Amino acid sequence: MGGTPELKLYNTLTREKSVFKPIDAENVRMYVCGPTVYDYAHIGNARPVIVFDVLFRLLRHVYGESHVTYARNITDVDDKINARALRDYPGLPLNAAIRAVTEKTERQFLDDALALGSLEPTVQPRATDNIAEMIAIIERLIARGHAYQASGEVLFDTKSMADYGQLSKRNLDEQQAGARVAVDAHKKSPGDFVLWKLSDENEPGWESPWGRGRPGWHIECSAMSGRYLGDVFDIHGGGLDLIFPHHENEIAQSRCAHGTDVMANVWMHNGFLQVEGRKMSKSEGNFVTIYELLHTETFAGRQWPGEVLRLAMLMTHYREPIDFSVKRLEEAERLLAKWPAAEPGDAKPDETVLNALADDLNTVAAVQALHALAQSGDPAVFAASATLLGVLPKKTEIDEAVAAEIDARVKARLELLKAKNFAEADKIRDTLAAEGIQLKDGKNAETGERVTTWEVKK
Ligand code: AMP
Ligand code: ZN
C-alpha cells in the first residue's frame, strides 16, 4: 500500500522478527486473551490492552478500518470466579451470584480499557456464550484420538501430538525426566491437561456428552478464536506468562481438532510489568488496579489520567519488562502537557512515527518522533500521528461561542504581527494568558506562513 512501510513483527513461534503477510488483506484477524472477570484489572493487565490496541490501530491504518477483525475474549467461567461469588454474594443462588461478579467486573474492565484510550475490539466474546463450540472441539479431539476420558475429566493427550511444545520450546520428555511433577494417576502423561471436568451441585455446569460439567481454561480460547477468526488466523497475543501452558495448549487443541499446521501465524507477547522495581502482588502490598489509579488517591496520593497511564506504558518497548513508577508517570505527564490538542482533519500520520511503529511496534521511537513533531511540526500531522498511538491530548471542553471569540482575538493578533505592531499583539497574548489561554506560534510547513494555535492551560 502506498506510503506505508512494511510491517515487521517479532514472532514468539520462530523467535524472529519478520515481515507480516496477512492471510487475507481484506480481513486481517487478531485474537488477544482477555481478562478472567473476578476482580478489578490491575495495571499489569493494562499492558496487553494498550499494546495490542496500538497494533489494532496500526493494522487499521495499513489495511483499512473495516479490514481488521480484533477479538478479545472475556473469561467468565473459572474456579476463581466461583470462589468470589460464594464469598461476596452468599445469599444468592450460585448462578445469580456468579453473574453478579462477572457482569460487574466485565463492565469495570471495559470502562478501564476505554479510559486508557483503547478502541473497542471488533468482537468481545464471553466464554459462557461459546460452550457449544467448546464441546464440539472436544468431540473432534476425542474422535481424532487426541483426547480421552478419565476420572470425571476429558483430557488432552499431549503424547498424541508429534510436535507438542513448539511455542514454548519445551520437550515433554525433558520435562518428565527428572521431573518432580507429581503425576496425577489418571493422566497418561503429566503434561496432559483438562478440556472438560464434571461439576458437582455447587459448581456451575453445562450438559455435555460427558455429563454436566465445565470447560478447562485453554479450550475457551480455541473455541472463540475459531468461531470468530477461523481455524487459522494472523496474530495471537497476550502477556508472556501465557506462552506456557495456555498458548501452547490452545495451539495443541486447535491444530489437532482442525488438522492444521498452525493456529495463528504470528504469536506476540508483551513483557511483564513491575511496580517501583518489585513484582506486583497482594502480599507485597503494591498491587495497583487501573480503577484505583484513575479514580482514587491511593497511588502517590493523587489520581492519574488515562492518557498519562497509557503514554507511560508506551515509553517502554512492549517486549521489555517495564517498571511502573511515579517518576515514569510524571515524565509522561510532562510530555503530554507540552503536546497540542489539535484535530487531525484528513492529515496523514508522520513517516517517522509510522516507520517506528511498523518496526515491531517501536513505541519508544514513535513517542520521541511525536514529541519532535509537537515542537515544530504541523499540528494536524501531529494529531494524525498521535491518534495512531491513541495518545492525542483532548481539547478541554469549552463553550463554542467562547472558542469563537478566542479564535477572533488570536486572528486579530496575527494581523497586528503582520503589521509589525508588536506592542498591541503582545497585549492580546498577555490578556489571553491571564485568562488561562496559552498561545503557540508555529509555521505552516508548506506556505511558511505563521500559524497560531491555542489551548486552555492545564
Ligand atoms: P489474567 O486475567 O491474569 O489472565 O491476565 C490478563 C492479561 O494480562 C494476560 O494477557 C496476562 O498475560 C497479562 N498480565 C497479567 N499480569 C501482568 C503483568 N504484571 N505485566 C504484564 N502483563 C500482565
Ligand atoms: Zn487465551
Side-chain angles (χ1 to χ4, degrees):
M1 258 164 235
T4 302
E6 269 186 340
L7 175 55
K8 289 202 186 107
L9 298 173
Y10 181 86
N11 187 352
T12 308
L13 203 52
T14 57
R15 305 289 196 269
E16 271 174 5
K17 194 155 80 174
S18 47
V19 175
F20 174 68
K21 292 193 198 74
I23 298 164
D24 174 6
E26 297 289 309
N27 184 18
V28 181
R29 290 160 285 157
M30 169 164 84
Y31 185 91
V32 175
C33 298
T36 304
V37 285
Y38 68 99
D39 203 349
Y40 286 98
H42 58 66
I43 189 64
N45 301 135
R47 199 170 189 197
V49 170
I50 295 171
V51 163
F52 292 103
D53 178 66
V54 172
L55 181 54
F56 183 39
R57 287 166 183 265
L58 181 63
L59 291 170
R60 282 157 54 106
H61 175 76
V62 175
Y63 297 98
E65 282 190 12
S66 57
H67 298 292
V68 185
T69 305
Y70 172 20
R72 185 182 62 205
N73 71 290
I74 301 275
T75 295
D76 60 350
V77 45
D78 186 280
D79 289 350
K80 289 195 279 285
I81 299 176
N82 306 347
R84 190 56 63 103
L86 292 172
R87 189 193 82 179
D88 290 356
Y89 301 94
L92 287 183
L94 182 66
N95 280 343
I98 286 176
R99 214 169 320 115
V101 171
T102 56
E103 280 179 0
K104 175 168 161 246
T105 314
E106 178 183 321
R107 213 174 314 118
Q108 186 60 52
F109 172 77
L110 298 179
D111 285 351
D112 290 348
L114 290 180
L116 293 170
S118 302
L119 303 173
E120 277 202 51
T122 325
V123 272
Q124 303 188 73
R126 291 187 194 92
T128 53
D129 292 330
N130 289 274
I131 302 285
E133 285 72 13
M134 297 178 209
I135 292 174
I137 296 185
I138 299 170
E139 284 184 307
R140 290 185 72 147
L141 288 172
I142 294 175
R144 287 171 169 253
H146 292 292
Y148 59 94
Q149 267 183 277
S151 306
E153 292 179 346
V154 182
L155 293 145
F156 185 90
D157 183 353
T158 45
K159 278 271 164 63
S160 73
M161 182 186 190
D163 56 356
Y164 177 84
Q166 273 194 333
L167 182 71
S168 59
K169 312 270 186 254
R170 283 175 187 230
N171 172 309
L172 273 184
D173 291 329
E174 268 169 24
Q175 274 183 74
Q176 283 165 41
R180 301 256 190 84
V181 206
V183 183
D184 289 318
H186 67 298
K187 290 188 182 179
K188 288 192 192 169
S189 327
D192 293 357
F193 55 90
V194 171
L195 301 168
W196 190 265
K197 59 187 159 203
L198 295 184
S199 297
D200 65 34
E201 282 157 32
N202 305 318
E203 290 166 333
W206 289 262
E207 290 308 326
S208 81
W210 318 285
R212 183 179 168 276
R214 59 198 192 283
W217 172 31
H218 318 305
I219 196 72
E220 298 177 11
C221 288
S222 284
M224 290 184 267
S225 62
R227 174 165 176 186
Y228 292 99
L229 307 179
D231 295 352
V232 180
F233 52 96
D234 296 295
I235 300 171
H236 193 313
L240 53 74
D241 57 319
L242 298 186
I243 296 175
F244 189 88
H246 185 53
H247 288 169
E248 195 72 82
N249 292 347
E250 279 188 35
I251 292 174
Q253 296 163 159
S254 292
R255 283 186 48 203
C256 291
H258 307 307
T260 53
D261 291 336
V262 289
M263 175 185 184
N265 285 329
V266 184
W267 288 78
M268 294 176 68
H269 295 97
N270 63 269
F272 247 49
L273 173 145
Q274 296 197 320
V275 174
E276 302 285 359
R278 291 180 322 173
K279 182 174 187 270
M280 187 167 43
S281 75
K282 287 221 161 102
S283 56
E284 287 258 7
N286 65 347
F287 191 91
V288 200
T289 67
I290 305 170
Y291 179 86
E292 283 171 327
L293 285 160
L294 289 169
H295 306 290
T296 74
E297 274 138 39
T298 44
F299 196 70
R302 52 161 291 193
Q303 298 180 359
W304 297 92
E307 56 268 28
V308 172
L309 302 176
R310 183 177 177 102
L311 183 60
M313 202 72 91
L314 296 177
M315 284 160 65
T316 299
H317 188 260
Y318 78 92
R319 286 199 278 124
E320 300 289 329
I322 189 170
D323 187 26
F324 201 78
S325 63
V326 176
K327 197 166 144 252
R328 165 61 59 97
L329 288 174
E330 286 172 348
E331 205 180 321
E333 190 161 52
R334 272 197 300 278
L335 272 189
L336 275 170
K338 293 184 190 144
W339 292 359
E343 305 273 355
D346 44 17
K348 296 251 177 319
D350 171 72
E351 291 232 328
T352 314
V353 173
L354 203 50
N355 285 335
L357 292 180
D359 180 17
D360 192 31
L361 297 186
N362 188 343
T363 56
V364 182
V367 168
Q368 276 164 6
L370 207 51
H371 190 56
L373 266 180
Q375 310 300 302
S376 57
D378 176 339
V381 173
F382 168 83
S385 315
T387 303
L388 264 187
L389 283 151
V391 290
L392 185 61
K394 281 191 215 67
K395 270 201 171 149
T396 312
E397 289 294 325
I398 192 163
D399 190 276
E400 260 182 53
V402 176
E405 193 253 341
I406 297 170
D407 284 342
R409 285 154 79 192
V410 170
K411 200 163 154 222
R413 172 175 168 269
L414 281 175
E415 296 299 325
L416 289 166
L417 287 174
K418 257 195 211 154
K420 305 219 183 303
N421 187 346
F422 298 111
E424 286 300 314
D426 286 352
K427 248 192 223 164
I428 295 183
R429 186 197 57 206
D430 295 343
T431 318
L432 282 168
E435 291 168 22
I437 306 294
Q438 181 137 34
L439 300 189
K440 222 172 162 183
D441 289 320
K443 271 202 177 105
N444 181 305
E446 276 160 31
T447 63
E449 223 172 275
R450 182 195 282 268
V451 280
T452 300
T453 54
W454 60 267
E455 63 184 17
V456 181
K457 269 192 259 178
K458 286 169 194 149

